[in-house]
Structures are given as C-alpha cells and as structure tokens.
Amino acid sequence: MPKLTVEGFDSVEVPAGKRLVLALVDEAGIDQMHACGGNCRCTTCRVEFVEGEPDTMTQAEQDKLAERGLEGVRLSCQIQVNHDMTVRAVSRLADTGRPDPGPRPEPEIQPEPVWVEKA
C-alpha cells in the first residue's frame, strides 16, 4: 500500500487508488476541506506537494486551477494515491470558520476523469 505523509502528522498507509481527499480524511485524520463534495468546483481541497507529486492530472483540475489562477497547489479531490507522497494540508476546516468541511466526496473521482500531463 502507498504511504501518505502529511507534514506535521504521522505517515499512514492508504489503499492504492483511493482519492487523496478521502485518504486525508479517513487515514490521516485531517480536517481537509471539500466544500463542493469533491467535484472539482470549489478548490477548497487544495494541497501542496512536498514529494511524490503525480505527473498527470485531470483535465477538470487543470482547467479549474487555471480559471482560479492557482499555482503550486493541487486539488486533492482529483488525485489518486497510487504511490508514496508527502503533502502539506493547506486547506483545513479549522482555518475557515465554516461549520463543516463539505459533503463527503464519492469514492470515484468526479467528474469522470480525463487524464492529461501536468502542465
């Protein structure tokens, strides 16, 4: 199983192919934001990669990051944990004042992923 390390937290093993947003919540126990329910609409699930950033991304993620002018971050709702990775959780509920992180994302990446090389 791939190892997920979140800066400031213990490393955890994650079932291969699990969405990063769910691994952050379920395995790492992080209060990760996902206001739109993991549908690549809001960008609240942002993470910064320290190591192991995937070379591909979904077209939806690429488009949303460009639309919002975001650089140096990735959307955890659009990433599968298929190898060891280290991330910085930069979008956590505790930092927002919101009552909850958002609806629980589905197990599969939404919208249906079209994979592209990371720009």
Side-chain angles (χ1 to χ4, degrees):
M1 285 201 291
K3 181 174 73 169
L4 172 62
T5 303
V6 181
E7 281 192 340
F9 296 86
D10 293 333
S11 295
V12 294
E13 289 188 343
V14 176
K18 187 166 189 170
R19 292 175 84 174
L20 178 55
V21 66
L22 293 174
L24 289 166
V25 172
D26 298 344
E27 279 77 22
I30 304 298
D31 58 337
Q32 179 68 38
M33 287 296 300
H34 44 77
C36 74
N39 293 297
C40 199
R41 291 191 305 241
C42 67
T43 73
T44 62
C45 67
R46 293 183 303 269
V47 295
E48 294 175 351
F49 271 87
V50 177
E51 291 182 23
E53 181 174 356
D55 293 333
T56 59
M57 61 179 20
T58 66
Q59 185 68 57
E61 179 185 15
Q62 186 176 62
D63 293 348
K64 185 56 67 176
L65 291 173
E67 173 188 306
R68 299 284 175 97
L70 296 171
E71 296 180 4
V73 296
R74 296 287 304 269
L75 302 181
S76 64
C77 74
Q78 298 295 297
I79 298 169
Q80 292 176 314
V81 181
N82 289 319
H83 60 272
D84 293 353
M85 52 183 64
T86 302
V87 298
R88 187 173 299 117
V90 297
S91 186
R92 297 181 53 200
L93 177 63
D95 301 328
T96 68
R98 294 180 183 211
D100 62 61
R104 182 171 175 83
E106 295 294 324
E108 302 299 323
I109 290 178
Q110 303 296 322
E112 181 73 27
V114 174
W115 297 101
V116 298
E117 292 296 315
K118 185 174 79 71

